[in-house]
Amino acid sequence: MWRLKIAEGANDPYLFSTNNFIGRQTWGFDPNAGTPGERAKVEEARQNYYKNRSHVKPSTDLLWQMQSLKEKNFKQTIPQVMIKDGEEITHEAATAALKRGVHLLSALQASDGHWPAEMTGPMFYFPPLVFALYITGHLNVVFSAEHRKEILRHIYCHQNEDGGWGLHIEGHSIMFCTALNYICLRLLGEGPNGGQDNACEKARKWILDRGGITSIPSWGKTWLSILGLYDWSGCNPMPPEFWVLPSYFPIDPAKMWCYCRMTYLPMSYLYGKKFVGTITPLILQLREELHVEPYHTINWRQKRHLCAKEDLYYPHPLLQMLLWDSLYTISEPLLSRWPFNKLREKALQITMDLIHYEDECSRYINIGVVEKPLCMLACWVEDPTGDYFKKHLARIADYIWVAEDGMKLQGIGSQTWDTSFALQALLASNLTSEIGPTLMKGHYFLKHSQVKNNPPGDFRRMFRHISKGSWTYSDQDHGWQLSDCTSEGLKCCLYFSKMQPEIVGEKMEPEKFYDAINVILSLQSKNGGFPGWEPATAGSWMEWFNPVEFLEDIIIEHEHVECTSSSIQALVLFKEFYPEHRRNEIEKCIDKAVQFLEDTQKPNGSWYATWGVCFIYATWFALSGLAAAGKTYNNCSAVREGVRFLLEIQTDDGGWGESYLSCPKKIYTPLPGKRSNLVHTAMALMGLIHSGQAKRDPNPLHRAAKVLINSQLPDGDFPQQEMTGAFMRNGILHYSAFRNICPTWALALYREHVALPSKNF
């Protein structure tokens, strides 16, 4: 059986940690684990998922849940609650449902205090890792037969009926993910007509029916060039000389969004090297399978701008096309000849130095899953037997997640994010006497996950920002600061600081609170909003040069409603505890942030989210932030309009639901049949409660609470439904922990803020 291991790694000579691996979560296969009955339950979960995969695409994360509940010997002892039509929700009923959710959520906590959960969804995460390991000769070293079985399971589970794969598991088929997953199947040993339910044959037909893989988007062209299935001359240039441009140059690496920067850094190294892996017999066979014309007759130059219509979300502007053509026809030929090729050699070395710096700062985890295999491969190209590459291999496990739909890669672990939300849900329940040990462990995790130091050396020259005092999205070793994660972690630690230490542990030192505030204040933009990772200093015109056809707004940092709201809430709470610390700065910061929320509200009263689906998610955050800053329904039109939006889209059953299509379309789009989603219902319920809806008209709140209570499962869990996470307008994410955290949190606030009758009176 597969087992999740917590905070392990100390015995590996190629692993190092800043906090003894607290927060690290890695899966391993133990052939002797589990009883026959437990193994049968796992297999049953897999079969049930496959049978129902067309109805609910995200997994329920059952393997971890089974493991954790067994380890805790969890048994739900509180009877299930059902609210009949026409029946009022009593205080006792709300309390029972809340306690059931709280007890289950507590049982899903790991031994080091965090809440493990998957954060997956996109179908382009895993194949590049397989490609890199195949090229380096480590595919069989890193992935056992059991690994391969689960990787294949996930690919099969999420193949669309037309034979392709979507950008994410709920999306329509696109060339990028169909080609990558087809090649992945073949590299993992499936024959050209093999795979479950003729997976390979169907996928190949999908590709060839659309003209073959030459119409794959630019990221795909890069990986296919590395594999030897495409030619570098068919790619738009990614010159490594970009990284040596002076800071006064209009397009400066320091102004780029960190994820974009860290993706094109190793890409430009591999491009500058024109690196191609060994052309094996399998690669030669794939050339024949995936192109509609003989490989050596293809005019690669004509394929540079080609992109399948299914993939094209962000068409390249004419200005960008002219830039690529100029680089292709003028600068690239020049830089490949003496004496200018000396500049390329120097640029490649500087690029590699920047890669090594990122590797060391992130303990070889890297900023994310897209960047990880690229940086790892670059290190192998530089030195196939060196320690840099070996350290990369040791951190692959940090991305792997296993569930009933197989093995997948996470974008990055969401340990801190999920834990901060889970703790706030538990604290809101006012059940401290029943969950004291859970709160203490969660507090311990957060205290030991705060980043201790800034990046080493002259970090600004290496395009990095301060990080001391921040929290990352995942664990301390990751090292990348985030405004919202810092804010949510800070809020939790401030709440804990006013509680009895014998229950929740010793509070954090004031200096560490001050460090967190320093990070938050450093990130605010001139318009009052907060970006995610680094200050947003670039002009929006740089987005004209976005080379990624299937994502939008990836070139520079942007301000986000969610990050701004989290920052407001943290600053307001901090001001209550430490009213004199940087008082004027904090008050001005809050005022500007509130103005940003008011300025970015849509005409229909909603807000648009970057990191969740979508208008409901952002409106929950915005109303929470405005309420924290003292804005009410009576004194703020933005609150009134936000409330109006939520009330207008409440579904007939009393819940809320939103399609992921809201994100790419940027228009509120309900789920098919206008059905509700429990996570969206919980978010809307919390947003309305923060707006004071209970005092105006509690009926919408009662209807929503009834949906949550009646949907709760016998063990206190909630059903898995559609994905509710998002990124860069067109990407959708599965946060499996949200289905437990958000309804429990909403029921806690409902019981606390809404007057309920008691059957005792």
Side-chain angles (χ1 to χ4, degrees):
M1 285 180 65
W2 287 93
R3 311 288 294 174
L4 187 65
K5 299 177 287 185
I6 302 298
E8 293 190 11
N11 296 324
D12 190 324
Y14 293 107
L15 285 172
F16 58 104
S17 174
T18 57
N19 66 349
N20 201 26
F21 301 101
I22 291 172
R24 190 171 193 239
Q25 48 188 28
T26 54
W27 286 90
F29 184 78
D30 182 353
N32 300 315
T35 65
E38 289 166 350
R39 295 177 191 175
K41 283 185 178 180
V42 170
E43 192 57 37
E44 181 184 6
R46 290 167 173 159
Q47 292 176 5
N48 287 339
Y49 176 84
Y50 192 77
K51 291 176 185 175
N52 297 296
R53 68 191 187 281
S54 62
H55 302 296
V56 180
K57 299 295 181 71
S59 72
T60 309
D61 220 355
L62 287 179
L63 271 65
W64 160 244
Q65 187 162 319
M66 290 177 182
Q67 175 185 332
S68 184
L69 297 185
K70 181 195 173 185
E71 291 172 352
K72 305 288 176 54
N73 194 27
F74 174 78
K75 296 287 189 297
Q76 183 61 262
T77 59
I78 303 173
Q80 192 168 3
V81 180
M82 291 296 292
I83 308 299
K84 299 177 182 177
D85 290 343
E87 180 183 359
E88 282 188 307
I89 302 175
T90 64
H91 181 81
E92 289 78 8
T95 299
L98 173 61
K99 284 189 174 184
R100 297 175 81 251
V102 163
H103 291 171
L104 179 80
L105 188 57
S106 298
L108 294 174
Q109 186 183 35
S111 57
D112 66 355
H114 86 276
W115 270 264
E118 70 171 279
M119 194 277 285
T120 59
M123 289 303 296
F124 62 90
Y125 282 177
F126 219 122
L129 177 61
V130 171
F131 300 169
L133 293 174
Y134 178 83
I135 290 167
T136 63
H138 286 75
L139 188 56
N140 295 332
V141 176
V142 174
F143 292 145
S144 66
E146 293 295 334
H147 282 85
R148 288 170 179 250
K149 183 191 300 183
E150 295 306 317
I151 297 168
L152 292 173
R153 185 193 310 279
H154 187 257
I155 295 174
Y156 297 145
C157 279
H158 297 292
Q159 186 174 26
N160 291 333
E161 290 185 7
D162 63 5
W165 284 270
L167 184 64
H168 51 83
I169 60 175
E170 293 181 358
H172 69 272
S173 297
I174 64 171
M175 182 64 72
F176 182 49
C177 291
T178 302
L180 263 58
N181 281 282
Y182 177 86
I183 297 166
C184 187
L185 287 174
R186 298 286 281 113
L187 297 183
L188 290 171
E190 297 289 27
N193 298 314
Q196 188 169 332
D197 297 332
N198 297 318
C200 290
E201 184 180 357
K202 291 191 295 185
R204 187 172 62 255
K205 183 179 185 304
W206 192 98
I207 293 167
L208 296 178
D209 285 349
R210 288 154 181 81
I213 57 171
T214 54
S215 63
I216 197 169
S218 57
W219 281 7
K221 286 177 166 61
T222 297
W223 272 112
L224 296 190
S225 298
I226 291 167
L227 276 170
L229 297 175
Y230 193 87
D231 195 90
W232 281 112
S233 63
C235 296
N236 285 321
M238 294 174 283
E241 290 77 14
F242 175 73
W243 308 104
V244 301
L245 291 174
S247 59
Y248 56 77
F249 199 76
I251 303 178
D252 175 21
K255 297 174 183 175
M256 294 175 70
W257 180 43
C258 53
Y259 271 82
C260 182
R261 185 170 68 239
M262 290 311 308
T263 297
Y264 283 97
L265 183 67
M267 273 189 182
S268 66
Y269 179 82
L270 296 166
Y271 173 85
K273 287 277 189 180
K274 299 297 190 294
F275 170 77
V276 180
T278 302
I279 305 301
T280 64
L282 178 54
I283 295 298
L284 291 173
Q285 190 173 347
L286 284 168
R287 285 180 177 180
E288 294 182 6
E289 293 172 17
L290 295 173
H291 290 286
V292 296
E293 52 189 313
Y295 187 82
H296 293 291
T297 67
I298 296 173
N299 185 334
W300 299 106
R301 182 188 183 101
Q302 291 182 353
K303 309 299 183 184
R304 285 189 302 117
H305 298 309
L306 193 62
C307 180
K309 64 178 177 22
E310 293 85 354
D311 299 58
L312 192 58
Y313 175 68
Y314 181 78
H316 291 169
L318 177 61
L319 181 63
Q320 183 184 148
M321 307 276 268
L322 292 173
L323 172 66
W324 298 137
D325 290 345
S326 299
L327 291 172
Y328 187 87
T329 57
I330 300 172
S331 65
E332 274 304 305
L334 196 65
L335 290 165
S336 63
R337 293 181 174 85
W338 188 89
F340 299 103
N341 57 0
K342 298 296 182 183
L343 175 60
R344 172 137 298 182
E345 292 175 10
K346 180 177 176 59
L348 285 168
Q349 185 55 56
I350 291 174
T351 302
M352 200 68 232
D353 290 343
L354 289 167
I355 292 171
H356 288 320
Y357 185 81
E358 157 64 7
D359 289 345
E360 290 290 322
C361 287
S362 66
R363 272 54 67 179
Y364 289 81
I365 299 171
N366 295 118
I367 194 172
V369 69
V370 172
E371 298 75 15
K372 171 69 177 176
L374 289 164
C375 290
M376 182 175 74
L377 184 59
C379 288
W380 183 84
V381 171
E382 182 193 39
D383 184 0
T385 61
D387 284 353
Y388 294 133
F389 176 64
K390 293 173 183 176
K391 290 176 181 178
H392 264 294
L393 291 176
R395 282 292 191 175
I396 289 174
D398 291 66
Y399 283 95
I400 289 174
W401 194 264
V402 186
E404 65 268 26
D405 64 338
M407 179 176 288
K408 64 287 286 276
L409 293 186
Q410 304 195 95
I412 191 67
S414 55
Q415 296 95 308
T416 298
W417 184 248
D418 289 340
T419 298
S420 64
F421 271 25
L423 288 172
Q424 289 179 75
L426 295 177
L427 288 168
S429 74
N430 291 322
L431 297 173
T432 302
S433 61
E434 300 181 28
I435 54 171
T438 300
L439 298 177
M440 181 177 282
K441 286 197 298 181
H443 189 199
Y444 173 88
F445 169 76
L446 287 180
K447 287 189 294 184
H448 288 82
S449 297
Q450 189 181 25
V451 177
K452 300 174 184 176
N453 299 298
N454 290 322
D458 186 1
F459 58 87
R460 298 191 188 279
R461 187 176 65 84
M462 309 303 278
F463 315 126
R464 289 295 296 267
H465 187 62
I466 63 171
S467 58
K468 182 181 179 181
S470 69
W471 275 270
T472 73
Y473 194 67
S474 54
D475 57 17
Q476 190 184 92
D477 283 342
H478 183 239
W480 277 92
Q481 71 287 337
L482 263 168
S483 62
D484 52 357
C485 293
T486 300
S487 297
E488 300 297 340
L490 175 60
K491 284 163 58 182
C492 289
C493 290
L494 286 168
Y495 288 134
F496 285 128
S497 71
K498 66 179 181 180
M499 299 176 71
Q500 296 178 356
E502 57 268 24
I503 296 177
V504 299
E506 294 297 327
K507 70 178 182 179
M508 216 163 62
E509 297 87 345
E511 290 74 18
K512 293 185 177 179
F513 288 123
Y514 300 161
D515 289 340
I517 290 296
N518 189 51
V519 171
I520 295 171
L521 292 176
S522 74
L523 290 170
Q524 189 175 36
S525 298
K526 291 181 179 179
N527 65 5
F530 279 83
W533 290 261
E534 296 171 331
T537 58
S540 59
W541 60 268
M542 283 181 63
E543 290 292 352
W544 298 343
F545 300 103
N546 171 19
V548 182
E549 299 88 342
F550 53 85
L551 297 174
E552 189 177 354
D553 289 342
I554 72 156
I555 294 296
I556 63 173
E557 270 278 15
H558 294 270
E559 297 81 12
H560 312 291
V561 169
E562 307 97 296
C563 296
T564 304
S565 171
S566 291
S567 299
I568 290 172
Q569 294 175 60
L571 291 170
V572 170
L573 188 62
F574 174 82
K575 195 158 68 80
E576 293 178 11
F577 285 81
Y578 300 94
E580 299 306 318
H581 182 78
R582 301 178 71 170
R583 180 175 180 174
N584 291 336
E585 291 176 73
I586 289 174
E587 289 178 350
K588 289 179 181 178
C589 180
I590 293 170
D591 290 342
K592 288 174 61 180
V594 167
Q595 189 62 53
F596 173 83
L597 292 182
E598 293 176 339
D599 291 344
T600 53
Q601 190 174 30
K602 302 297 181 183
N604 68 350
S606 70
W607 284 264
Y608 180 85
T610 306
W611 309 116
V613 178
C614 171
F615 293 97
I616 292 175
Y617 185 79
T619 302
W620 165 45
F621 267 96
L623 291 176
S624 301
L626 291 171
K631 299 296 182 179
T632 69
Y633 188 88
N634 293 327
N635 68 18
C636 179
S637 62
V639 173
R640 291 193 294 274
E641 290 301 301
V643 168
R644 179 178 61 81
F645 166 73
L646 290 178
L647 293 179
E648 285 180 352
I649 63 169
Q650 189 170 21
T651 57
D652 291 341
D653 69 355
W656 281 266
E658 185 173 4
S659 168
Y660 78 85
L661 293 172
S662 290
C663 298
K665 292 181 176 179
K666 301 177 186 176
I667 298 172
Y668 170 73
T669 307
L671 288 167
K674 295 188 177 180
R675 65 178 182 268
S676 60
N677 175 290
L678 296 177
V679 173
H680 285 139
T681 298
M683 291 174 174
L685 176 57
M686 288 190 282
L688 288 173
I689 289 173
H690 286 305
S691 77
Q693 182 67 30
K695 295 179 180 178
R696 294 187 299 274
D697 177 12
N699 286 326
L701 309 182
H702 294 317
R703 295 176 64 216
K706 179 182 176 182
V707 170
L708 297 180
I709 293 171
N710 286 353
S711 299
Q712 196 172 32
L713 300 175
D715 63 354
D717 197 358
F718 291 88
Q720 180 61 58
Q721 297 172 305
E722 298 84 2
M723 295 193 292
T724 53
F727 66 100
M728 312 331 291
R729 313 300 183 228
N730 199 33
I732 307 300
L733 296 168
H734 172 36
Y735 288 92
S736 65
F738 274 22
R739 80 169 191 278
N740 289 316
I741 294 171
C742 293
T744 302
W745 196 353
L747 287 174
L749 295 179
Y750 173 75
R751 189 187 73 144
E752 177 71 17
H753 295 282
V754 182
L756 300 173
S758 174
K759 62 184 179 182
N760 294 325
F761 295 96

